[in-house]
Amino acid sequence: MPRLALVPRLLRSRPLTKGLRYLYRYTRPRADRHNETLWPFVTVRRDGQGRLSGCDLHGVRGPATIPLDRLPRGIGGDAHLILSGPSVAQIDYDQCRMSTVMGVNGSIALRARHPALRFDYYAMLDAGFVKRRRDLVAQVLAQDLVLFVTPEVYRWIALLFDNRTVRCRIALFEEVHQRAQQPRARPEELEAQLGADPELVLFDAHHPMHAHGFSLDAARGLFGGGTVAYTSLQFLAWLGARTVYLHGLDLTATAGPRFYESAGAQLPTALDRQYAGHIEPAFRQASQLLRARGIKVYNLSVLSRLGDDIFEKRHWSCLLAPAAQPLTSPEQ
């Protein structure tokens, strides 16, 4: 095997990456801790306004990326965010009328049952998912869509997949309070920077887990809300959606495995641990902001842990063509 061919294998070696993380962790200030998975493998690039514009990988060549501000926007109508809750399995996508569709992580598995389902956008922010479900990630990369990823996820895509198999367009994003290769912002810094910002709306800079807020300009960064669903909702609002339908936003691990997983073979989740203190408050505040901005959001998971006072719940049959809708409302 050529010497250069060994480089990607070494870079994804668990002992090597774990050792480097420990080295970084104990030689850098705590405010830099969120960068430990990037060093020394990734160098990010920024434009004149400080926005993330790309990144360089060391030892491996990644697929081409496109800056967020170069993506066409203006959905202007309905958009559908398909998540991974078990309730998604109850939806007959062969009968649903949908225009703009966004998926996350394992949503692509629906195409095995509904081949006509097409995704326009996709989001991944969990590198663990990329490493453990390469079969599903490969399917996403082969689609004609826009894939939003963090620099860490981008690095693992470059390590695990041949660039020649990547058909999608990849755009990088980061979180506002912990930007790539910059110190984590202190609450008072966020308040000073974003106190009156109409596009990066700060709800709570002092939240013990992560700063709560909502971004209406993804190119400037996004707020974490404890789940990829919250990240994706910000993307759709930024892309111009006026109505968003949330599919599979069950938000409880006790409801069963994700729709594409089998019992006993689920990837770990922090939903139950983070729901009350992090996830629910973030969605509650976001719902008020979106309502004030004239953006409607409907939750198609009638058994979702999120209350109807946050997002109005509707049965998925509201997506059927008028002639196919039931004469009576389905049981909720």
Side-chain angles (χ1 to χ4, degrees):
M1 179 181 295
R3 183 179 301 176
L4 289 178
L6 293 173
V7 173
R9 180 176 297 180
L10 289 171
L11 291 179
R12 61 176 178 259
S13 165
R14 183 177 177 83
L16 173 63
T17 56
K18 190 174 182 179
L20 289 172
R21 287 176 65 177
Y22 280 130
L23 175 63
Y24 186 92
R25 181 178 301 182
Y26 294 112
T27 58
R28 295 292 199 284
R30 187 174 182 82
D32 290 328
R33 181 72 58 84
H34 61 283
N35 292 309
E36 65 181 27
T37 58
L38 300 180
W39 181 86
F41 308 110
V42 179
T43 300
V44 301
R45 300 192 304 273
R46 298 185 178 278
D47 63 16
Q49 301 179 51
R51 298 176 300 184
L52 181 65
S53 60
C55 66
D56 299 313
L57 303 178
H58 306 298
V60 64
R61 182 180 178 183
T65 62
I66 180 172
L68 285 170
D69 61 357
R70 294 186 187 175
L71 290 175
R73 295 164 54 199
I75 293 175
D78 297 352
H80 298 263
L81 176 54
I82 300 181
L83 305 163
S84 303
S87 66
V88 163
Q90 308 302 317
I91 301 176
D92 185 356
Y93 285 100
D94 293 334
Q95 298 189 60
C96 292
R97 298 180 304 164
M98 300 189 299
S99 49
T100 302
V101 179
M102 184 173 188
V104 305
N105 296 340
S107 307
I108 197 73
L110 281 170
R111 298 194 70 246
R113 280 178 275 173
H114 307 284
L117 179 62
R118 294 290 182 269
F119 293 92
D120 303 283
Y121 302 99
Y122 220 91
M124 291 183 192
L125 54 89
D126 181 5
F129 177 83
V130 177
K131 290 181 278 188
R132 297 172 187 172
R133 292 307 308 260
R134 300 183 198 181
D135 56 329
L136 296 178
V137 177
Q139 293 181 48
V140 175
L141 296 176
Q143 304 299 309
D144 180 15
L145 52 78
V146 175
L147 171 61
F148 301 109
V149 299
T150 63
E152 182 189 6
V153 169
Y154 174 69
R155 174 194 166 225
W156 280 102
I157 287 175
L159 285 171
L160 299 176
F161 299 93
D162 188 331
N163 290 347
R164 293 171 294 183
T165 67
V166 178
R167 186 184 177 204
C168 68
R169 287 148 289 162
I170 298 178
L172 301 172
F173 72 92
E174 64 182 349
E175 293 188 343
V176 172
H177 72 290
Q178 49 183 24
R179 298 188 181 278
Q181 296 183 329
Q182 292 183 3
R184 182 187 179 102
R186 296 193 300 271
E188 55 272 20
E189 291 174 334
L190 286 175
E191 289 175 332
Q193 295 168 11
L194 310 179
D197 197 319
E199 295 181 311
L200 299 183
V201 183
L202 185 63
F203 300 143
D204 180 7
H206 296 269
H207 191 274
M209 297 192 71
H210 294 295
H212 280 180
F214 196 91
S215 174
L216 295 163
D217 185 353
R220 295 177 59 199
L222 300 172
F223 288 90
T227 168
V228 67
Y230 194 82
T231 299
S232 302
L233 183 58
Q234 292 171 83
F235 274 123
L236 288 176
W238 170 70
L239 286 165
R242 303 308 301 170
T243 302
V244 179
Y245 293 89
L246 304 172
H247 304 229
L249 189 67
D250 302 344
L251 289 177
T252 174
T254 57
R258 301 169 182 88
F259 79 88
Y260 57 86
E261 295 177 328
S262 57
Q266 307 101 301
L267 293 181
T269 176
L271 283 178
D272 288 341
R273 175 166 50 85
Q274 296 190 10
Y275 178 79
H278 188 29
I279 297 173
E280 195 272 355
F283 273 114
R284 181 173 295 278
Q285 294 172 102
S287 70
Q288 297 169 5
L289 173 67
L290 293 173
R291 201 174 296 122
R293 298 289 180 119
I295 301 174
K296 299 178 181 179
V297 182
Y298 298 109
N299 187 353
L300 299 185
S301 174
V302 295
L303 298 178
S304 173
R305 202 169 178 178
L306 282 184
D308 196 71
D309 59 326
I310 297 179
F311 297 129
E312 178 184 338
K313 293 182 180 179
R314 291 189 174 184
H315 193 274
W316 68 266
S317 60
C318 70
L319 304 181
L320 298 174
Q325 291 193 11
L327 297 179
T328 58
S329 299
E331 290 295 328
Q332 298 188 14

